[in-house]
Protein backbone atom coordinates (compact mmCIF):
# COMPACT_ATOMS: atom_id res chain seq x y z
CA UNK A 1 0.00 0.00 0.00
CA UNK A 2 1.13 3.50 -0.77
CA UNK A 3 0.87 6.02 2.06
CA UNK A 4 1.02 9.73 1.30
CA UNK A 5 1.46 12.13 4.23
CA UNK A 6 1.47 15.89 3.96
CA UNK A 7 3.60 18.10 6.18
CA UNK A 8 2.21 18.72 9.63
CA UNK A 9 -0.32 15.89 9.62
CA UNK A 10 0.46 13.70 12.60
CA UNK A 11 -2.73 13.80 14.65
CA UNK A 12 -4.06 10.39 13.66
CA UNK A 13 -2.27 7.08 13.78
CA UNK A 14 -2.21 4.89 10.66
CA UNK A 15 -3.83 1.90 12.43
CA UNK A 16 -6.87 4.06 13.23
CA UNK A 17 -7.09 5.11 9.59
CA UNK A 18 -6.88 1.53 8.32
CA UNK A 19 -9.52 0.37 10.86
CA UNK A 20 -11.86 3.08 9.62
CA UNK A 21 -11.60 1.67 6.09
CA UNK A 22 -14.03 -1.07 7.08
CA UNK A 23 -16.77 1.59 7.16
CA UNK A 24 -16.58 2.20 3.41
CA UNK A 25 -19.04 0.61 0.99
CA UNK A 26 -18.14 -0.35 -2.55
CA UNK A 27 -20.22 0.46 -5.62
CA UNK A 28 -19.60 0.96 -9.31
CA UNK A 29 -21.28 3.57 -11.49
CA UNK A 30 -20.46 6.05 -14.23
CA UNK A 31 -21.18 9.66 -13.25
CA UNK A 32 -21.84 12.58 -15.57
CA UNK A 33 -18.68 14.12 -16.93
CA UNK A 34 -17.09 10.85 -18.00
CA UNK A 35 -15.31 9.94 -14.75
CA UNK A 36 -15.63 6.30 -13.82
CA UNK A 37 -16.12 5.29 -10.22
CA UNK A 38 -14.03 3.06 -8.06
CA UNK A 39 -14.69 1.44 -4.71
CA UNK A 40 -15.97 3.78 -2.01
CA UNK A 41 -13.79 5.70 0.42
CA UNK A 42 -13.77 6.81 4.03
CA UNK A 43 -12.89 10.38 4.98
CA UNK A 44 -11.75 11.31 8.48
CA UNK A 45 -12.34 14.96 9.30
CA UNK A 46 -12.99 16.86 12.54
CA UNK A 47 -13.09 13.63 14.58
CA UNK A 48 -15.79 12.22 12.29
CA UNK A 49 -15.72 9.32 9.89
CA UNK A 50 -17.65 9.90 6.66
CA UNK A 51 -18.31 6.86 4.47
CA UNK A 52 -18.67 7.75 0.79
CA UNK A 53 -20.60 5.30 -1.36
CA UNK A 54 -19.17 6.71 -4.60
CA UNK A 55 -15.92 8.40 -5.56
CA UNK A 56 -14.47 9.20 -8.97
CA UNK A 57 -11.27 7.81 -10.44
CA UNK A 58 -8.37 10.15 -10.94
CA UNK A 59 -7.37 10.09 -14.59
CA UNK A 60 -4.03 11.78 -13.76
CA UNK A 61 -3.09 8.77 -11.59
CA UNK A 62 -1.94 10.95 -8.68
CA UNK A 63 -1.74 8.31 -5.97
CA UNK A 64 -3.52 10.26 -3.26
CA UNK A 65 -6.23 12.14 -5.22
CA UNK A 66 -9.76 11.72 -3.88
CA UNK A 67 -12.55 12.80 -6.22
CA UNK A 68 -15.84 13.19 -4.31
CA UNK A 69 -19.28 14.05 -5.63
CA UNK A 70 -20.02 17.75 -5.29
CA UNK A 71 -23.21 16.86 -3.41
CA UNK A 72 -21.08 14.98 -0.81
CA UNK A 73 -18.77 17.96 -0.19
CA UNK A 74 -21.02 19.65 2.44
CA UNK A 75 -21.30 16.35 4.33
CA UNK A 76 -17.52 15.90 4.30
CA UNK A 77 -16.24 19.37 5.23
CA UNK A 78 -19.19 21.78 5.27
CA UNK A 79 -18.22 23.46 1.98
CA UNK A 80 -20.61 23.81 -0.94
CA UNK A 81 -19.51 24.26 -4.56
CA UNK A 82 -20.79 27.56 -5.98
CA UNK A 83 -19.81 29.62 -9.06
CA UNK A 84 -17.39 31.68 -6.92
CA UNK A 85 -15.70 28.54 -5.49
CA UNK A 86 -16.10 26.24 -2.50
CA UNK A 87 -17.98 28.19 0.17
CA UNK A 88 -18.66 27.64 3.86
CA UNK A 89 -20.61 30.43 5.59
CA UNK A 90 -19.01 33.66 4.32
CA UNK A 91 -15.68 32.05 3.38
CA UNK A 92 -15.21 31.12 -0.30
CA UNK A 93 -12.08 29.50 -1.74
CA UNK A 94 -11.76 29.75 -5.55
CA UNK A 95 -11.63 26.37 -7.28
CA UNK A 96 -9.64 26.07 -10.54
CA UNK A 97 -11.40 24.24 -13.38
CA UNK A 98 -8.91 21.35 -13.30
CA UNK A 99 -10.14 20.48 -9.77
CA UNK A 100 -13.73 19.90 -10.96
CA UNK A 101 -14.79 17.21 -13.41
CA UNK A 102 -18.51 16.81 -14.05
CA UNK A 103 -20.22 16.15 -10.72
CA UNK A 104 -16.90 15.50 -8.94
CA UNK A 105 -14.36 17.71 -7.16
CA UNK A 106 -10.79 16.76 -6.19
CA UNK A 107 -11.00 16.93 -2.38
CA UNK A 108 -7.27 16.30 -1.91
CA UNK A 109 -6.31 19.16 -4.25
CA UNK A 110 -8.86 21.42 -2.55
CA UNK A 111 -7.40 20.61 0.87
CA UNK A 112 -3.88 21.42 -0.33
CA UNK A 113 -5.08 24.70 -1.85
CA UNK A 114 -6.67 25.61 1.49
CA UNK A 115 -3.49 24.69 3.42
CA UNK A 116 -5.09 21.65 5.01
CA UNK A 117 -2.85 18.69 5.95
CA UNK A 118 -3.73 15.35 4.32
CA UNK A 119 -2.87 11.74 5.13
CA UNK A 120 -3.91 9.29 2.44
CA UNK A 121 -3.94 5.51 2.42
CA UNK A 122 -5.30 4.94 -1.11
CA UNK A 123 -4.93 1.16 -0.92
CA UNK A 124 -7.24 1.07 2.10
CA UNK A 125 -9.46 3.80 0.53
CA UNK A 126 -9.04 6.11 3.56
CA UNK A 127 -8.19 9.84 3.58
CA UNK A 128 -7.69 11.91 6.72
CA UNK A 129 -7.82 15.71 6.64
CA UNK A 130 -6.43 17.95 9.38
CA UNK A 131 -7.66 21.31 10.55
CA UNK A 132 -8.16 23.96 7.90
CA UNK A 133 -6.21 27.12 8.76
CA UNK A 134 -8.66 29.30 6.83
CA UNK A 135 -11.39 28.36 9.31
CA UNK A 136 -9.34 29.26 12.40
CA UNK A 137 -10.66 28.61 15.88
CA UNK A 138 -14.11 28.76 17.41
CA UNK A 139 -14.64 32.46 16.66
CA UNK A 140 -13.96 31.93 12.98
CA UNK A 141 -16.32 28.94 12.90
CA UNK A 142 -19.28 30.95 14.20
CA UNK A 143 -18.22 34.37 12.84
CA UNK A 144 -19.94 35.89 15.91
CA UNK A 145 -17.93 37.98 18.37
CA UNK A 146 -18.74 37.76 22.08
CA UNK A 147 -20.95 40.52 23.48
CA UNK A 148 -19.19 43.50 25.07
CA UNK A 149 -19.88 47.13 25.93
CA UNK A 150 -17.42 50.05 25.59
CA UNK A 151 -17.83 53.80 26.04
CA UNK A 152 -17.88 56.02 22.96
CA UNK A 153 -15.97 59.33 22.75
CA UNK A 154 -18.65 61.05 24.80
CA UNK A 155 -18.71 58.34 27.46
CA UNK A 156 -22.02 56.76 26.42
CA UNK A 157 -22.10 52.94 26.49
CA UNK A 158 -22.03 51.23 23.07
CA UNK A 159 -23.14 47.58 22.94
CA UNK A 160 -21.80 45.33 20.22
CA UNK A 161 -25.23 43.68 20.04
CA UNK A 162 -26.69 46.94 18.70
CA UNK A 163 -24.75 46.28 15.48
CA UNK A 164 -26.07 42.74 15.01
CA UNK A 165 -26.45 41.88 11.32
CA UNK A 166 -23.92 44.51 10.24
CA UNK A 167 -20.21 44.14 9.56
CA UNK A 168 -18.19 45.78 12.33
CA UNK A 169 -14.49 46.58 12.56
CA UNK A 170 -13.32 46.66 16.17
CA UNK A 171 -10.00 48.41 16.73
CA UNK A 172 -8.29 47.89 20.09
CA UNK A 173 -5.15 49.32 21.62
CA UNK A 174 -3.21 48.71 24.79
CA UNK A 175 -0.43 50.84 26.25
CA UNK A 176 1.45 47.94 27.76
Amino acid sequence: MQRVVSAGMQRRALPQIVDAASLALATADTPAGGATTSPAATVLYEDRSIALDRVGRDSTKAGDALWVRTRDLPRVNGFELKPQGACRADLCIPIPKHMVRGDYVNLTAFARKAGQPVVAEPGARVWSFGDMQALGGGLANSRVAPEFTVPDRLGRPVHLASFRGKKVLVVTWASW
Side-chain angles (χ1 to χ4, degrees), residues 3-172:
R3 183 174 81 172
V4 182
V5 181
S6 71
M9 182 61 175
Q10 297 178 8
R11 70 177 208 180
R12 292 186 176 89
L14 184 60
Q16 292 170 327
I17 294 171
V18 174
D19 287 344
S22 62
L23 298 174
L25 305 169
T27 63
D29 196 0
T30 303
T36 58
T37 61
S38 60
T42 300
V43 173
L44 305 176
Y45 180 63
E46 292 183 341
D47 298 325
R48 294 178 299 130
S49 176
I50 301 103
L52 300 173
D53 62 347
R54 254 186 263 171
V55 296
R57 282 192 205 276
D58 182 30
S59 61
T60 65
K61 304 297 181 204
D64 65 339
L66 176 61
W67 289 81
V68 300
R69 292 183 293 186
T70 55
R71 70 179 186 193
D72 287 335
L73 194 60
R75 191 166 59 99
V76 171
N77 62 11
F79 280 85
E80 184 178 349
L81 207 57
K82 296 182 177 182
Q84 60 269 38
C87 300
R88 180 174 170 177
D90 61 346
L91 172 70
C92 286
I93 299 172
I95 301 293
K97 291 183 181 191
H98 73 274
M99 288 174 43
V100 178
R101 188 176 317 131
D103 293 333
Y104 286 80
V105 62
N106 186 337
L107 184 60
T108 308
F110 170 70
R112 289 197 176 107
K113 180 172 180 58
Q116 186 177 26
V118 179
V119 173
E121 188 65 54
R125 310 295 302 149
V126 178
W127 281 257
S128 180
F129 297 88
D131 295 331
M132 192 175 291
Q133 294 174 351
L135 296 176
L139 177 62
N141 286 340
S142 69
R143 304 273 194 256
V144 176
E147 173 56 31
F148 63 87
T149 304
V150 296
D152 68 6
R153 291 181 290 173
L154 299 174
R156 296 175 298 202
V158 177
H159 303 275
L160 182 63
S162 64
F163 297 99
R164 185 139 342 261
K166 300 176 184 173
K167 293 183 179 181
V168 177
L169 173 64
V170 179
V171 179
T172 61

